[in-house]
Amino acid sequence: MLKKFLYGYTFVTILLYNKEENSPNRKRHHSMKSKSKLYFLSALTLTLLLSGLRTACFLTSYESDAGYFASTPTASITTILYILAAAWCLAAPLLLSEKAEPSVTSNAARSVGSKLAGSLFLFSGLCLGIGALISTSALRLVIGILGALASVFFFTDGGLTSKKRTLHAAFGFVVLAFLFALLFYVYFDMYVAINSPIKNALQLSILSAMLLVLCEIRDSIDRPHLRLSPAIRLLCALFCLPTAVSHLIFERSPLCGALEKELLTPFFSLALLGIGIFAFVSASFEKGTKAKEKISQKPLDKSEEA
């Protein structure tokens, strides 16, 4: 009798499991998960490809006397790819459902990304500040101080207590101040043309980084935008990483002119590299945000309401 009962129980369990596997909700979940994986892998490929192409443009097509890229196939392909990649990243709200769970990295990966970004910000800020004291540049000194303070934003990322998350959100505004001061410095630089590809790339990178920090502040105060955040994070990585990598390499090249070196200082590039790495790692880490959102929306018990 017991044997028949066990056989029957096993048979019913298998039927229920198969029914769940073939259910529309589960199929939809697998479909959204595959879309998310395709989206992030394609964005990573585009980011790496653009980093290589933009570096090649500087080393083969940049004319220091004019301050622009020559009309070469490499420069044209890079421009077209930038437009297509930006459009692809901004398509995230249409491809990803709010209830879909994107591909997830581990807590350790996000922690490493944030600590690396914080270290690069701290190093860049201190070096900029020391250099500004020697050259008596007030604006660069302000940028250096703000950059060093902005590192706290990254070092406090991932805090679970309310106090740490509030501190993380507060220092997000310091990062915004640093980025605004850097944008002001780049825009009003008088030695490089206003529509130079160097200035255009720096300005787009800084603006995308500002949007990223705003998303992170919303996340810290339990107001995440689950559909827009992946687009902003990957858009920031798309602009910041190729800009930082190409500027770091070109600045060390003999082809780089003396006028461009002020904007191509490695300390600006290292800060953008840090925030670009943080953005890309964060783009694959939505589970923590969803968990925090569920916690914030969890109804209070009667004992807590009393």
Side-chain angles (χ1 to χ4, degrees), residues 285-304:
F285 189 72
E286 298 294 326
K287 202 170 193 178
T289 301
K290 286 164 69 74
K292 282 187 276 189
E293 186 186 49
K294 289 177 181 178
I295 292 172
S296 64
Q297 293 177 353
K298 185 179 178 180
L300 295 175
D301 296 334
K302 292 182 179 180
S303 58
E304 293 177 345

Side-chain angles (χ1 to χ4, degrees), residues 236-255:
C236 178
L238 176 73
F239 284 122
C240 289
L241 289 178
T243 298
V245 171
S246 59
H247 286 187
L248 283 169
I249 295 174
F250 182 62
E251 192 270 338
R252 306 300 298 173
S253 168
L255 300 174

Side-chain angles (χ1 to χ4, degrees), residues 84-145:
L84 293 176
W88 177 239
C89 285
L90 290 174
L94 301 178
L95 296 175
L96 301 177
S97 168
E98 286 192 12
K99 296 181 180 179
E101 193 170 311
S103 58
V104 178
T105 60
S106 64
N107 288 336
R110 168 130 180 167
S111 178
V112 170
S114 59
K115 298 300 184 291
L116 178 60
S119 300
L120 290 174
F121 262 76
L122 182 60
F123 175 74
S124 300
L126 292 176
C127 291
L128 282 171
I130 294 171
L133 289 174
I134 298 173
S135 62
T136 63
S137 173
L139 182 55
R140 285 174 75 98
L141 178 61
V142 171
I143 294 174
I145 294 172

